[in-house]
Amino acid sequence: MATELKIPEVGESITEVQIAKWLKQKGDTVDRDEPVAELETDKVSLELPAPSAGRITELKADEGATVNVGDVVALIAEDGQGD
């Protein structure tokens, strides 16, 4: 089963962020807490860490896309699972 990579809450008044850069691509392996993307708001830049170890099976947003807090932007399959 894939783990969803969601946009976390980054501030009380912030409801959306921009994906500035993907640090990992589809097919790449990641460790838990390893940065997967760089996010930007009008107030802050931050890294989005992987919630679990595995392999990225899908990126659901392009670089430069604006996404809402809580949106799923990638899927991570545990080793040996997924496409």
Side-chain angles (χ1 to χ4, degrees):
M1 184 170 172
T3 300
E4 296 177 332
L5 179 60
K6 294 182 181 182
I7 301 297
E9 291 188 27
V10 292
E12 189 172 305
S13 63
I14 298 172
T15 60
E16 60 185 24
V17 300
Q18 182 179 46
I19 297 180
K21 182 178 181 180
W22 283 108
L23 303 174
K24 298 290 183 175
Q25 298 298 317
K26 181 178 177 179
D28 289 351
T29 57
V30 294
D31 292 324
R32 181 181 174 95
D33 296 328
E34 182 177 1
V36 175
E38 293 177 354
L39 306 178
E40 291 185 353
T41 72
D42 57 343
K43 298 179 181 181
V44 69
S45 295
L46 63 143
E47 292 182 333
L48 179 62
S52 64
R55 187 172 44 85
I56 297 174
T57 58
E58 185 177 356
L59 298 178
K60 294 180 169 271
D62 295 325
E63 284 186 2
T66 299
V67 294
N68 295 315
V69 168
D71 283 356
V72 176
V73 294
L75 297 177
I76 301 172
E78 294 180 17
D79 290 338
Q81 297 182 357
D83 296 337

